[in-house]
Amino acid sequence: MARALKEREPGLALAGVGGRRMAAAGVDLVADSSEWGAIGVCDAVGKIPRVWRVLRRVRARLERERPSAVVLIDSGGGNVPLARRVRKLGLKTVYYLPPGSWSRRLRNPGLRELVDVVATPFPWSRDLLTGGRARVEWVGHPVLEAARPKLSCEEAWQRYGLDPGRRVVALAPGSRGQEMKHVLPLLAKAAGRLAREFEGVQFMAPVSDPVYEKRVWDAFRKAGVRVMLLQGMEYDALQLAEAAAVCSGTATLEFACLGTPMVVVYRAGLGTSLQFVLARGVIGKQWRAGMPNIIAGRDIVPELLWKWAKPETLARELGSLLRDEDRRERMKADLAEVVANLGGDPRLGGDPRLGGDPRLGGDPRLGGDPRLGQVGASGKTAELVLELMGEESAVEPGVGG
């Protein structure tokens, strides 16, 4: 979204909280949030003091500089209280990817009174949040913009030195320390079992952060498995996988965009497990964990969670996908429906209901013109931000926030 804002208003000054990719997009970082990721209350408690200190600095800067617009992204624990402060300051506010927007139940009713615009990735979220002071727009999901291979399959086989005559399985262990502890060993052991059943199978594993490379490599080596490590979600390589085991999270949507049949897995400590059961299951009535299943409203990919996530069970599910071509094709068709609910025709990566021609996404393979810039969720949200800023005054170079 930062890049989309810069494309439309090159002189716009952007400041924010984020990581290295946000900085690379031209945002002046008030604080680096790279290590803030947490799963569950128990994991998050130790990070609260650090986050709270940053939020105090952000509030002070907002009061001092009074930017033309404030964009809050997901992360309800910190951003919803911040939205209340911003509201008191009378600043224009956009909430992009509102927390809990995946749910088909209204989870944050007060949000529509706190901000001016809500840009949500799901159509049902738009319907649930409509009715307050905020303008609510369905912009689609930004994963559609990212999860697109740039190479053809033929080029990818050569680029990565893989054998097209042998099966490929992707194993995505997650991006947080807790997932490295609980999910990674599960994937490695399951791969060991699968390798014994399918001779010559090729494994690849996306590593979210270079700091985890040795840990991932050692886990698979201990299991007696050769694996190709990828620098994050390298879609050119991942498109070659016939099946995948994916840690529950956004990665499941990325694999859905690639049309990869998958098994969703998750393990965590006791505290996080209890929180899921009580807060999300008993109270929230949402027992599914995988985003493809949540979005579809039914079980289209298998989920192996908590004590049911065992190496032998995972190996059996992956083996079934590799053996059963009909099952893979049915799952691909179901995943295509999920992609459509993310805001796009799975053939084109866009939805005309979101505004404009979906083929104008900047990808020449889709019939678009790269000179037109981003027109997906990021572009639509950037336009909403600039439109909101323009309601009071025209956007001038060097003015923004």
Side-chain angles (χ1 to χ4, degrees), residues 127-143:
D127 298 337
L128 289 171
L129 288 170
T130 297
R133 67 178 293 273
R135 172 185 174 185
V136 185
E137 295 286 347
W138 172 39
V139 296
H141 203 291
V143 73

Side-chain angles (χ1 to χ4, degrees), residues 199-390:
E199 185 177 354
V201 65
Q202 302 169 106
F203 295 103
M204 59 176 66
V207 182
S208 62
D209 193 310
V211 72
Y212 293 134
E213 281 188 4
K214 185 178 186 303
R215 192 167 180 177
V216 174
W217 182 266
D218 288 345
F220 283 100
R221 181 178 56 82
K222 184 178 179 181
V225 175
R226 295 185 61 184
V227 63
M228 172 182 288
L229 300 187
L230 305 176
Q231 296 180 353
M233 296 292 285
E234 294 188 45
Y235 306 114
D236 289 328
L238 294 171
Q239 68 176 319
L240 303 177
E242 288 187 65
V246 188
C247 179
S248 179
T250 305
T252 60
L253 294 183
E254 294 174 276
F255 278 99
C257 288
L258 294 174
T260 307
M262 74 185 85
V263 181
V264 175
V265 299
Y266 206 80
R267 270 183 175 177
L270 179 60
T272 301
S273 303
L274 289 175
Q275 182 186 343
F276 178 89
V277 171
L278 294 175
R280 192 161 173 175
V282 176
I283 298 174
K285 307 300 181 185
Q286 176 55 265
W287 292 100
R288 296 184 177 97
M291 287 302 296
N293 291 339
I294 292 171
I295 293 169
R298 56 193 174 91
D299 296 327
I300 63 174
V301 301
E303 294 186 4
L304 300 178
L305 311 175
W306 320 122
K307 68 177 183 179
W308 293 277
K310 298 178 180 178
E312 59 271 22
T313 310
L314 177 55
R316 185 167 61 247
E317 288 287 352
L318 288 172
S320 172
L321 283 175
L322 292 176
R323 283 189 298 268
D324 192 339
E325 183 177 356
D326 289 340
R327 187 186 182 197
R328 290 200 308 274
E329 291 304 315
R330 287 195 303 271
M331 195 176 290
K332 287 180 180 181
D334 289 336
L335 291 173
E337 294 182 16
V338 169
V339 172
N341 274 316
L342 295 179
D345 182 327
R347 297 167 301 169
L348 300 174
D351 189 320
R353 292 172 294 173
L354 299 181
D357 188 331
R359 293 170 297 175
L360 303 180
D363 189 331
R365 296 175 304 146
L366 305 179
D369 187 334
R371 294 170 298 176
L372 296 175
Q374 301 177 56
V375 190
S378 299
K380 289 295 295 182
T381 304
E383 290 166 6
L384 289 171
V385 173
L386 294 174
E387 183 180 336
L388 182 65
M389 291 168 63

